[in-house]
Coordinates of all heavy atoms in Angstrom, one line a residue:
P88 N 0.8 -1.2 0.0 CA 0.0 0.0 0.0 C 0.9 1.3 0.0 O 2.1 1.2 0.2 CB -0.8 -0.1 1.3 CG 0.2 -0.8 2.2 CD 1.0 -1.7 1.4
P89 N 0.2 2.4 -0.2 CA 0.9 3.7 0.0 C 1.4 3.9 1.4 O 0.7 3.4 2.3 CB -0.1 4.8 -0.4 CG -1.2 4.0 -1.2 CD -1.2 2.6 -0.6
V90 N 2.5 4.5 1.7 CA 2.9 4.8 3.0 C 2.5 6.3 3.4 O 2.8 6.7 4.5 CB 4.4 4.6 3.2 CG1 4.7 3.2 3.0 CG2 5.2 5.5 2.4
I91 N 1.8 7.0 2.6 CA 1.2 8.3 2.8 C -0.3 8.1 2.8 O -0.8 7.6 1.8 CB 1.7 9.3 1.9 CG1 3.2 9.5 2.0 CG2 1.0 10.7 2.1 CD1 3.8 10.5 1.0
V92 N -1.0 8.5 3.8 CA -2.5 8.4 3.8 C -3.1 9.8 4.2 O -2.4 10.7 4.7 CB -2.9 7.3 4.9 CG1 -2.5 6.0 4.4 CG2 -2.4 7.7 6.3
N93 N -4.4 9.9 3.9 CA -5.1 11.1 4.3 C -5.7 11.0 5.7 O -5.7 10.0 6.3 CB -6.2 11.4 3.2 CG -7.2 10.3 3.0 OD1 -7.5 9.6 4.0 ND2 -7.7 10.1 1.8
R94 N -6.2 12.2 6.1 CA -6.8 12.3 7.4 C -7.9 11.4 7.7 O -8.1 10.8 8.7 CB -7.2 13.8 7.7 CG -7.6 14.1 9.1 CD -7.8 15.5 9.3 NE -8.1 15.7 10.8 CZ -7.1 16.0 11.6 NH1 -5.8 16.1 11.2 NH2 -7.4 16.1 12.9
E95 N -8.7 11.2 6.6 CA -9.9 10.3 6.8 C -9.5 8.9 7.1 O -10.1 8.2 7.9 CB -10.7 10.3 5.5 CG -11.5 11.6 5.2 CD -10.5 12.7 4.7 OE1 -9.4 12.4 4.3 OE2 -11.0 13.9 4.7
S96 N -8.4 8.4 6.5 CA -7.9 7.0 6.8 C -7.5 6.9 8.2 O -7.8 5.9 8.9 CB -6.8 6.7 5.8 OG -7.2 6.6 4.5
L97 N -6.8 7.9 8.7 CA -6.3 7.8 10.1 C -7.4 8.0 11.1 O -7.4 7.4 12.2 CB -5.2 8.9 10.3 CG -3.9 8.6 9.7 CD1 -3.1 9.9 9.5 CD2 -3.1 7.6 10.6
T98 N -8.5 8.7 10.7 CA -9.7 8.8 11.6 C -10.4 7.5 11.6 O -10.9 7.1 12.6 CB -10.6 9.9 11.1 OG1 -9.9 11.2 11.1 CG2 -11.8 10.1 11.9
G99 N -10.4 6.8 10.4 CA -11.1 5.5 10.4 C -10.6 4.5 11.3 O -11.3 3.7 11.8
T100 N -9.3 4.4 11.4 CA -8.6 3.4 12.3 C -8.4 3.9 13.7 O -7.9 3.1 14.5 CB -7.3 2.9 11.7 OG1 -6.5 4.1 11.3 CG2 -7.5 2.0 10.5
G101 N -8.7 5.1 14.0 CA -8.6 5.6 15.4 C -7.4 6.4 15.8 O -7.3 6.8 17.0
Q102 N -6.4 6.6 14.9 CA -5.3 7.4 15.3 C -5.6 8.8 15.4 O -5.0 9.5 16.2 CB -4.1 7.2 14.2 CG -3.3 5.9 14.3 CD -4.1 4.7 13.7 OE1 -5.0 4.8 13.0 NE2 -3.6 3.5 14.0
L103 N -6.5 9.3 14.6 CA -7.0 10.7 14.7 C -8.4 10.7 15.2 O -9.2 9.8 14.9 CB -6.9 11.4 13.3 CG -5.5 11.7 12.8 CD1 -5.6 12.4 11.4 CD2 -4.8 12.7 13.8
P104 N -8.7 11.7 16.0 CA -7.9 12.9 16.3 C -7.0 12.7 17.6 O -6.2 13.6 17.8 CB -8.9 14.0 16.6 CG -10.1 13.2 17.2 CD -10.1 11.9 16.5
K105 N -7.1 11.6 18.3 CA -6.5 11.5 19.6 C -5.0 11.5 19.6 O -4.3 12.1 20.4 CB -7.0 10.2 20.3 CG -6.4 10.0 21.7 CD -7.0 8.8 22.4 CE -6.4 8.6 23.8 NZ -6.7 9.7 24.7
F106 N -4.4 10.9 18.6 CA -2.9 10.7 18.6 C -2.2 11.5 17.5 O -1.1 11.1 17.0 CB -2.6 9.2 18.4 CG -3.2 8.3 19.4 CD1 -4.3 7.5 19.1 CD2 -2.7 8.3 20.7 CE1 -4.8 6.7 20.1 CE2 -3.3 7.5 21.7 CZ -4.3 6.7 21.4
E107 N -2.7 12.7 17.2 CA -2.1 13.5 16.2 C -0.7 13.9 16.5 O 0.2 13.9 15.6 CB -2.9 14.8 16.0 CG -2.4 15.7 14.9 CD -3.5 16.3 14.0 OE1 -4.7 16.3 14.4 OE2 -3.2 16.8 12.9
E108 N -0.3 14.1 17.7 CA 1.1 14.5 18.0 C 2.1 13.4 17.8 O 3.3 13.6 17.7 CB 1.2 15.0 19.5 CG 0.9 13.9 20.5 CD 1.2 14.4 21.9 OE1 1.5 15.6 22.1 OE2 1.2 13.6 22.9
D109 N 1.6 12.1 17.7 CA 2.5 11.0 17.5 C 2.7 10.8 16.0 O 3.5 9.9 15.6 CB 1.9 9.8 18.1 CG 1.9 9.8 19.6 OD1 2.9 10.4 20.2 OD2 0.9 9.4 20.3
L110 N 2.1 11.5 15.1 CA 2.1 11.3 13.7 C 3.0 12.3 13.0 O 3.2 13.5 13.5 CB 0.7 11.4 13.1 CG -0.3 10.4 13.6 CD1 -1.7 10.8 13.1 CD2 0.0 9.0 13.2
F111 N 3.6 12.0 11.8 CA 4.3 12.9 11.0 C 3.3 13.4 9.9 O 2.9 12.7 9.1 CB 5.5 12.2 10.3 CG 6.7 12.0 11.2 CD1 7.0 10.8 11.8 CD2 7.5 13.1 11.6 CE1 8.1 10.6 12.6 CE2 8.6 13.0 12.4 CZ 8.9 11.7 12.9
H112 N 3.0 14.7 10.1 CA 2.1 15.4 9.2 C 2.9 16.1 8.1 O 3.9 16.8 8.4 CB 1.2 16.3 9.9 CG 0.2 17.1 9.1 ND1 -0.1 18.4 9.3 CD2 -0.5 16.7 8.0 CE1 -1.0 18.8 8.4 NE2 -1.2 17.8 7.6
I113 N 2.5 15.9 6.8 CA 3.2 16.6 5.7 C 2.6 18.0 5.6 O 1.4 18.2 5.4 CB 3.0 15.9 4.4 CG1 3.6 14.5 4.5 CG2 3.7 16.6 3.3 CD1 3.4 13.6 3.3
T114 N 3.4 19.0 5.9 CA 2.9 20.4 6.0 C 2.1 20.9 4.8 O 2.5 20.6 3.7 CB 4.1 21.3 6.2 OG1 4.9 20.9 7.4 CG2 3.7 22.8 6.5
N115 N 1.0 21.6 5.1 CA 0.2 22.2 4.1 C -0.5 21.2 3.2 O -0.9 21.5 2.1 CB 1.0 23.2 3.2 CG 1.6 24.3 4.0 OD1 0.9 24.9 4.9 ND2 2.8 24.8 3.6
T116 N -0.7 20.0 3.7 CA -1.4 18.9 3.0 C -2.4 18.2 4.0 O -2.4 18.4 5.2 CB -0.5 17.9 2.4 OG1 0.0 17.0 3.4 CG2 0.6 18.5 1.6
N117 N -3.2 17.4 3.4 CA -4.1 16.5 4.2 C -3.4 15.1 4.4 O -4.1 14.2 4.7 CB -5.4 16.3 3.4 CG -6.5 15.6 4.2 OD1 -6.6 15.8 5.4 ND2 -7.3 14.8 3.6
Y118 N -2.1 15.0 4.2 CA -1.4 13.8 4.2 C -0.6 13.6 5.4 O 0.0 14.5 6.0 CB -0.5 13.7 2.9 CG -1.2 13.7 1.6 CD1 -0.6 14.2 0.5 CD2 -2.5 13.1 1.5 CE1 -1.3 14.2 -0.7 CE2 -3.1 13.1 0.3 CZ -2.5 13.7 -0.8 OH -3.2 13.7 -2.0

């Protein structure tokens, strides 16, 4: 699979919104 995912995917599995600080967010994107 891709190793870059969107916010909806992370919300679906439960990482977001609770664990946002543990993730690497690509600046100025939804990725």
Side-chain angles (χ1 to χ4, degrees):
V90 298
I91 296 174
V92 294
N93 56 34
R94 188 173 187 88
E95 290 75 16
S96 292
L97 287 157
T98 301
T100 47
Q102 281 79 14
L103 287 178
K105 183 174 176 63
F106 302 107
E107 182 138 16
E108 68 173 5
D109 292 321
L110 302 171
F111 281 106
H112 180 218
I113 300 175
T114 307
N115 298 323
T116 73
N117 189 39
Y118 296 150

